[in-house]
Amino acid sequence: MSVDAAHQRLFAAAPTNKALEVIDLATGKPLRSLEGERPAAALYAPEFNQLYVSRGQGLSIYDGKTLKLITSIDLETSADELHYDPRAKELYVGCMGTGKTGIAIIGVPEGKLLGKILLPGKPQGSAVEQNGDRIFANLPEQNQIAVLDRKKRVLLDPWPFNGAQGNSPIGLDESHHRLASGARRPATMVFFDTGTGKQVAQTAIDGDTDDLSYDLKNRRFYLSCGEGFVDVIQQDDADHYRLRERVSTISGARTSTFSTQLSLLIVGVPRRGDKPAEIRVFKVAR
């Protein structure tokens, strides 16, 4: 999911319906659906007023105002997570196909494939430095965090993920030089020093973690867990973290996004039997 804060719109991938849903956050009502191939992720870029959607084996780029399709890029492999750097004018797409795993680099706003950095496994969660040249990507099959130089387009030495497995969501706190990653076995959140790549702290979390956001203003991490909770992890300092609160959601609610501008945490709740899917919106308190 991704938020257009200026216009209070939420873009949410609905893969079961093969649609990208556009929702008015002010009214809670759906605005329209962008149908097509099964979507995996969405990212709105206010700097370019463009919407990026990973669909099937490619990327679709839409005009942010009209939501008309501008262009599509064939990546020749299944595409997933999206990130971008507005200064570099680059979009980074997680590529998941066997033998083609890596991070594709797309020039924006023109929508041109610039290259790909290959990875030894499927990236499950990634984070992009805004004040540096690195991309960090969880590689759960290798039990490590891949470190990529996006300027030189090469892999650097990976960071081993010790003491836990199933590392999936990832979040970056550049101001304190910390990278956070959630693991599933056991359910643990691990913190790394981005200068050394060493683990500096960890804390227990709820199970089936999938999405992670960092709130710099309040120095908190919001972790959506499929066990049925959002875990709020407070950062006391760069090396000390604690579980501040467990906010109840629904079992299976693992997808979330945080809007810094609106101070909203948004959680996707999947369909449960005869109960329809939902979007739950939480106002973040200080």
Side-chain angles (χ1 to χ4, degrees):
M1 296 188 290
S2 186
V3 173
D4 169 14
H7 303 97
Q8 295 199 47
R9 294 182 299 176
L10 173 70
F11 302 102
T16 302
N17 298 338
K18 296 183 178 180
L20 191 285
E21 303 294 348
V22 186
I23 299 164
D24 187 331
L25 287 172
T27 65
K29 295 180 179 179
L31 295 173
R32 61 181 295 185
S33 297
L34 302 179
E35 298 180 351
E37 288 191 80
R38 181 184 176 96
L43 174 65
Y44 176 73
E47 290 84 357
F48 312 119
N49 195 22
Q50 288 185 337
L51 172 66
Y52 311 115
V53 183
S54 51
R55 289 183 180 272
Q57 294 195 334
L59 176 78
S60 297
I61 301 179
Y62 297 86
D63 180 276
K65 182 178 180 180
T66 65
L67 297 181
K68 290 183 177 180
L69 181 66
I70 298 173
T71 189
S72 295
I73 301 170
D74 185 4
L75 297 175
E76 301 180 344
T77 183
S78 56
D80 195 359
E81 192 164 346
L82 304 171
H83 293 281
Y84 84 114
D85 182 346
R87 296 174 306 165
K89 296 185 178 181
E90 290 180 345
L91 178 75
Y92 309 102
V93 186
C95 297
M96 308 294 286
T98 302
K100 298 183 178 181
T101 55
I103 304 292
I105 303 173
I106 311 292
V108 291
E110 67 276 12
K112 180 181 179 181
L113 178 61
L114 302 178
K116 180 190 285 189
I117 307 173
L118 296 178
L119 292 171
K122 295 180 180 180
Q124 298 287 342
S126 58
V128 176
E129 282 185 324
Q130 300 298 307
N131 299 310
D133 298 332
R134 294 178 296 179
I135 300 174
F136 306 98
N138 272 320
L139 300 181
E141 294 174 355
Q142 286 70 32
N143 203 38
Q144 62 185 214
I145 294 176
V147 184
L148 304 82
D149 185 317
R150 55 195 169 100
K151 288 288 183 66
K152 297 179 181 179
R153 299 181 189 172
V154 297
L155 275 177
L156 305 177
D157 291 337
W159 298 349
F161 207 96
N162 299 320
Q165 296 179 322
N167 47 312
S168 181
I170 199 167
L172 182 60
D173 169 20
E174 288 190 78
S175 62
H176 300 98
H177 309 288
R178 293 294 179 263
L179 183 80
S181 179
R184 296 180 177 178
R185 300 183 301 276
T188 309
M189 191 165 172
V190 181
F191 300 88
F192 294 81
D193 183 322
T194 58
T196 65
K198 303 297 184 181
Q199 295 183 17
V200 296
Q202 67 180 50
T203 186
I205 58 174
D206 283 291
D208 197 22
T209 177
D210 195 64
D211 262 342
L212 171 61
S213 300
Y214 180 62
D215 178 356
L216 175 61
K217 181 179 180 180
N218 293 300
R219 299 183 65 172
R220 297 174 192 155
F221 289 89
Y222 306 119
L223 193 66
S224 55
C225 303
E227 189 175 340
F229 298 93
V230 169
D231 286 357
V232 181
I233 307 296
Q234 186 69 50
Q235 180 186 59
D236 292 325
D237 58 46
D239 294 335
H240 296 89
Y241 304 83
R242 56 186 168 84
L243 180 63
R244 175 189 174 98
E245 192 171 356
R246 299 167 73 228
V247 180
S248 295
T249 55
I250 291 292
S251 177
R254 300 183 302 169
T255 302
S256 65
T257 190
F258 174 64
S259 172
T260 301
Q261 299 91 332
L262 301 177
S263 294
L264 297 178
L265 180 70
I266 301 166
V267 179
V269 176
R271 182 174 180 176
R272 295 136 11 249
D274 59 352
K275 295 183 179 180
E278 301 172 351
I279 298 292
R280 296 192 177 186
V281 181
F282 298 88
K283 183 70 174 178
V284 173
R286 292 186 178 184

